[in-house]
């Protein structure tokens, strides 16, 4: 730990050390990973003299699970994150695009310095947790959580923290641009990091979904659990970032800076969701918990309750870190000119999270006495305004003929007044800061009407807060009014009338949709996550997300048919809309299964499918044609390393995944009791066209990789021909693993895979004890009745095929993004007609 601290300090002071001594620079970067390597080694040899190992390790664990136990609690993931940060900083130690020349070299140094500062902050947080503290006398650990004793948990958490490391490195680029105002080739700098980061995030989240599908008793891969949703936010931010260059017109440097800051902010927010145990109490992923008292009703209030927690320094550092990044964004917007660097004192503001972590490690130990509980809550909020104090805006006089702007409309600093008014009404810190984040660029825009994307995001914020019932309709309406004000009072600019049946307008819509729809959906998802602190809001996510899916599919349809007749495109989209409306009104239950289950007072799951299915299906066909066209184009060029080909493979995979999602998630109500079956031994029970026969109870206590005992049931599955039993499809054996040390059983899900989809079987663990007692008191044959949950998931293969297809396309995009600059520029500037 101390060697890593010294290495971080050296690299922070000499970020370009690799130019003088590659060996020394490599040694220092390796030293940053040394604490994680040491802790992992202690787990592998099961050194129980270390408390962390004694608590979560175990000599009986297989070697791979001993290694995975390294990230079973708070300490290990932080050290792993630190190691990933060191790896990425070493990998991209050389100048990126635009980091050459006098100003470029300064940007290069600041990028590396910012990354090392973040590594130092993570290390100081780890110091506060003391990962190598000795085991006290008579201590007996509970061992590794049974849910983590799986192969997927050996891979999934490291990938998620690697993805977050990519996000923080994007933030380092944003900070370097912010401090030096070197916007040369900023898009290439960002994309060079974002593309592999998006691949890693997609792989990590997908493996997490596979873990839920195979291990948890959900019967599915996605349930909008808070931790799932939290990890989804950085993924959305990365998707938004890689699509910024596709939107019409040039992208301002400040927008790239904002996107980079957003990825870091959301990765920290996602980490907070996971590690601030007790705040999002509805999550099944909350392996780290808090014993704090009854929490307040808002996220910030609950986080402040954790000030007296033993791990308060970690959570408080994340809060300060997030607020500091938000403050940097506000300071950038208040900058008089995009060409002028920020006040150099801004650099000191960036060190505040490290100071907080260091102070917590030295002084604030939690519990009684001196702790973070002695610090008023308002102190943490003021961090967001420190960058503003370092970077005061210049007064902008109103010029004759100038476009309507907020800052010249009233002689008031509305960028401060509006957030303060929102806080006065809502008393919610995160809602207030979100308002400031979206309103400030709109306020400082020379033309508010041309800054309409920020207004759209603000409208989405207000709608999301109203839909989630975090704000009343009246208050949310007032918030909406603030963002739509320019369109109510400003003179409207004259322009060419918009015509949807013109090819150019269709392509403008399609190209804007990729970045804009993802950004608006990101705002909505974040708001719904804020509202999910006590209960998972599955229905809201699916209900309000459906229009976004339909709109995205429509945009893909227009783009892939850019060379077809524009009027025909309008007719085809109109036909899809009419089919959706007809099915919505006349046959909402046509898809069967749980289509009639309500998701709101008036809408059912079948309604949600009709909103999206026709457009998704219609978009998939021209997308497949587009992939074929791009493949032919790549063959003619003599290289497969082409970004358009990889991008459209990703888009086709996404459409496949979403179509599978409708069948496996939207149409399945996992709270419906009709999926729970009682099976009588040797009797065939008919359910959803299948016959299920319980034939045998199975007990095992030997030959298990993990666990102390297994109880399961063997079930034969048959095709049904009406009321007649048909051919045997297969046999499954769902059950429960017993872990005597932890006292917590683990469900062993079994899946019967067919060409048309999966049948998922979940053993009712509540009956395990009584069945075990019955079997031990007599014979296994005495057990005549068991309970099992069965989910029929047709088209489930589309989900996994789509995920794999997306990753294949992302690999191609990442590889193609590493070709020569000339080729890359040609790829990205080829006219639409040619592509």
């Amino acid at each position: 730990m101390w060697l890593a601290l010294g290495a971080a300090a050296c690299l922070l002071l000499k970020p370009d050390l690799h130019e003088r001594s590659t060996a020394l620079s490599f040694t220092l970067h390796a030293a940053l990973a040394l604490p994680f390597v040491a802790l992992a080694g202690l787990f592998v040899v099961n050194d129980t003299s270390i408390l962390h190992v004694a608590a979560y390790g175990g000599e009986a664990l297989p070697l791979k699970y001993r290694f995975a136990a390294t990230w079973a609690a708070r300490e290990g993931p932080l050290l792993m994150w630190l190691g990933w940060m060191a790896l990425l900083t070493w990998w991209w130690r050389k100048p990126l695009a635009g980091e050459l020349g006098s100003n470029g070299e300064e940007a290069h140094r600041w990028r590396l310095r910012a990354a090392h500062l973040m590594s130092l902050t993570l290390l100081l947080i780890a110091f506060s947790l003391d990962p190598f503290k000795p085991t006290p006398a008579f201590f007996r650990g509970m061992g590794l959580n049974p849910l983590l004793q799986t192969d997927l948990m050996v891979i999934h958490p490291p990938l998620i923290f690697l993805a977050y490391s990519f996000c923080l490195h994007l933030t380092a680029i944003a900070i370097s641009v912010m401090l030096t105002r070197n916007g040369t080739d900023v898009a290439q700098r960002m994309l060079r990091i974002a593309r592999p980061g998006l691949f890693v995030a997609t792989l990590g989240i997908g493996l997490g979904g596979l873990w839920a599908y195979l291990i948890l008793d959900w019967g599915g891969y996605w349930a909008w659990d808070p931790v799932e949703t939290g990890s989804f936010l950085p993924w959305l931010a990365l998707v938004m970032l890689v699509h910024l260059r596709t939107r019409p017109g040039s992208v301002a440097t400040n927008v790239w800076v904002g996107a980079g800051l957003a990825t870091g902010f959301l990765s920290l927010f996602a980490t907070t969701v996971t590690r601030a145990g007790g705040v999002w109490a509805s999550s099944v992923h909350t392996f780290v918990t808090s014993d704090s008292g009854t929490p307040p009703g808002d996220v910030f209030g609950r986080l402040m309750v954790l000030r007296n927690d033993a791990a308060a320094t970690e959570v408080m550092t994340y809060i300060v870190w997030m607020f500091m990044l938000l403050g940097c964004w506000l300071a950038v917007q208040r900058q008089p000119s995009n060409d002028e660097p920020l006040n150099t004192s801004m650099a000191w503001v960036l060190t505040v999270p490290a100071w907080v972590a260091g102070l917590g490690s030295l002084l604030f130990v939690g519990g009684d006495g001196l702790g973070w509980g002695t610090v008023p809550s308002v102190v943490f909020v003021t961090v967001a305004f420190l960058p503003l104090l370092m970077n005061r805006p210049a007064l902008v006089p109103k010029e004759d003929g100038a476009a309507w702007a907020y800052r010249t409309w009233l002689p008031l600093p509305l960028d401060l007044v509006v957030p303060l008014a929102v806080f006065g009404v809502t008393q919610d810190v995160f809602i207030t800061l979100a308002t400031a984040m979206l309103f400030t660029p709109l306020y400082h825009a020379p033309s508010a009407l041309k800054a309409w994307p920020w207004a759209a995001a603000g409208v989405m914020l207000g709608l999301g807060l109203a839909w989630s019932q975090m704000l009343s309709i009246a208050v949310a309406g007032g918030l909406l009014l603030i963002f739509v004000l320019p369109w109510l009072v400003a003179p409207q600019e004259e322009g060419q009338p918009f015509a949807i049946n013109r090819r150019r307008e269709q392509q403008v819509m399609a190209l804007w949709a990729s970045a804009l729809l993802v950004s608006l959906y990101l705002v909505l998802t974040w708001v719904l996550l804020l509202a999910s602190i006590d209960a998972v809001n599955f229905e809201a996510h699916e209900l309000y997300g459906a229009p976004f899916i339909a709109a995205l599919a429509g945009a893909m349809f227009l783009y892939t048919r850019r060379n077809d007749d524009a009027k025909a495109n309008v007719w085809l989209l109109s036909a899809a809309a009419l089919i959706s409306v007809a099915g919505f009104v006349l046959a909402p239950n046509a898809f069967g299964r749980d289509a009639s289950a309500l998701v709101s007072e008036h809408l059912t799951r079948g309604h949600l499918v009709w909103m999206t299915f026709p457009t998704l299906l219609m978009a998939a066909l021209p997308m497949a044609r587009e992939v074929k066209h791009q493949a032919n184009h790549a063959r003619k060029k003599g290289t497969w390393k082409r970004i358009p080909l990889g991008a459209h493979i990703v888009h086709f995979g996404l459409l496949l995944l979403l179509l599978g999602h409708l069948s496996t998630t939207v149409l399945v109500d996992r709270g419906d009791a009709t999926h729970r079956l009682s099976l009588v031994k040797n009797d065939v029970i008919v359910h959803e066209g299948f016959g299920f026969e319980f034939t045998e109870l199975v007990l095992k206590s030997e030959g298990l990789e993990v666990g102390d005992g297994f109880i399961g049931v063997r079930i034969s599955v048959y095709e049904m021909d009406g009321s007649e039993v048909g051919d045997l499809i297969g046999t499954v054996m769902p059950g429960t693993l017993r872990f005597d040390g932890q006292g917590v059983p683990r469900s062993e899900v079994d899946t019967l895979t067919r060409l048309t989809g999966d049948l998922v079987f979940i053993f009712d663990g509540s009956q395990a004890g009584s069945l075990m007692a019955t079997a031990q008191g007599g014979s296994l044959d005495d057990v005549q009745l068991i309970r099992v949950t069965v989910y029929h998931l047709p088209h489930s293969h589309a989900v996994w095929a789509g995920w794999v297809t997306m990753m294949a396309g992302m690999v191609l995009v990442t590889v193609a993004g590493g070709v020569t600059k000339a080729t890359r520029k040609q790829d990205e500037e080829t006219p639409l007609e040619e592509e």
Side-chain angles (χ1 to χ4, degrees), residues 38-288:
L39 185 61
L42 293 171
F43 268 98
V44 169
V45 301
N46 195 40
D47 185 350
T48 55
S49 65
I50 303 299
L51 178 60
H52 194 40
V53 178
Y56 301 102
E59 189 176 1
L61 285 174
L63 188 62
K64 57 186 176 182
Y65 298 150
R66 290 193 205 177
F67 178 66
T70 310
W71 46 84
R74 294 182 181 274
E75 298 86 345
L78 277 170
L79 298 180
M80 177 171 60
W81 199 354
L82 174 63
W84 284 134
M85 285 294 294
L87 175 65
L88 295 187
T89 309
W90 168 257
W91 186 261
W92 280 296
R93 65 192 182 279
K94 296 181 179 179
L96 298 175
E99 291 184 344
L100 296 174
S102 57
N103 194 29
E105 291 176 356
E106 188 68 14
H108 175 222
R109 284 191 291 270
W110 271 113
R111 172 173 65 84
L112 296 178
R113 187 174 284 121
H116 292 313
L117 181 59
M118 294 185 223
S119 297
L120 176 63
T121 305
L122 293 173
L123 180 59
L124 291 172
I125 296 174
F127 264 103
S128 73
L129 299 173
D130 194 6
F132 297 98
K133 54 180 169 284
T135 305
F138 309 111
F139 176 82
R140 183 177 181 275
M142 293 296 294
L144 184 61
N145 189 308
L147 291 176
L148 302 181
Q149 296 183 38
T150 65
D151 291 349
L152 288 171
M153 280 294 116
V154 181
I155 309 170
H156 165 63
L159 287 175
I160 292 297
F161 280 99
L162 177 57
Y164 293 168
S165 300
F166 276 101
C167 291
L168 290 184
H169 209 98
L170 287 167
T171 299
I173 295 176
I175 289 172
S176 72
V177 174
M178 179 183 71
L179 293 177
T180 64
R181 302 314 297 173
N182 174 25
T184 305
D185 287 331
V186 62
Q188 290 306 321
R189 268 181 273 173
M190 290 282 188
L191 293 174
R192 184 73 179 275
I193 309 296
R195 284 165 176 158
L198 181 58
F199 166 76
V200 172
T202 305
L203 177 60
I205 293 175
L207 289 176
L210 187 60
W211 171 74
Y213 191 69
L214 298 176
I215 302 301
L216 295 183
D217 53 2
W218 288 356
Y221 62 92
W222 195 262
W224 294 108
D225 179 90
V227 170
E228 282 184 326
T229 309
S231 66
F232 188 47
L233 294 176
W235 187 89
L236 288 173
L238 289 169
V239 171
M240 178 267 294
L241 191 152
V242 300
H243 285 88
L244 279 179
R245 69 174 183 83
T246 66
R247 46 150 283 190
S250 60
V251 182
T253 298
N254 280 352
V255 174
W256 287 107
V257 170
L261 294 173
T263 58
F265 176 92
L266 292 171
S267 64
L268 293 169
F269 189 85
T271 306
T272 304
V273 173
T274 308
R275 299 171 70 80
V279 176
W280 278 270
S282 57
S283 175
V284 301
H285 294 72
T286 307
F287 304 119
V288 182

Side-chain angles (χ1 to χ4, degrees), residues 438-449:
L438 299 177
F439 179 72
T440 300
L442 183 63
Y443 172 79
H444 288 283
S447 171
L449 295 177

Side-chain angles (χ1 to χ4, degrees), residues 774-798:
T774 301
Q776 291 175 347
S779 168
L780 294 181
D781 295 332
D782 293 339
V783 176
Q784 297 294 316
L785 179 69
I786 59 97
R787 297 187 302 274
V788 66
T789 300
V790 181
Y791 295 114
H792 179 211
L793 306 178
H795 317 116
S796 58
H797 304 328

Side-chain angles (χ1 to χ4, degrees), residues 64 85 89 131 215 242 267 317 324 338-339 418 424 471 481 637 651 724 788:
K64 57 186 176 182
M85 285 294 294
T89 309
I215 302 301
V242 300
S267 64
T317 303
M324 183 272 293
N338 287 340
D339 299 325
V418 167
L471 293 183
L481 181 62
K637 291 284 186 179
H651 297 156
E724 298 294 326
V788 66

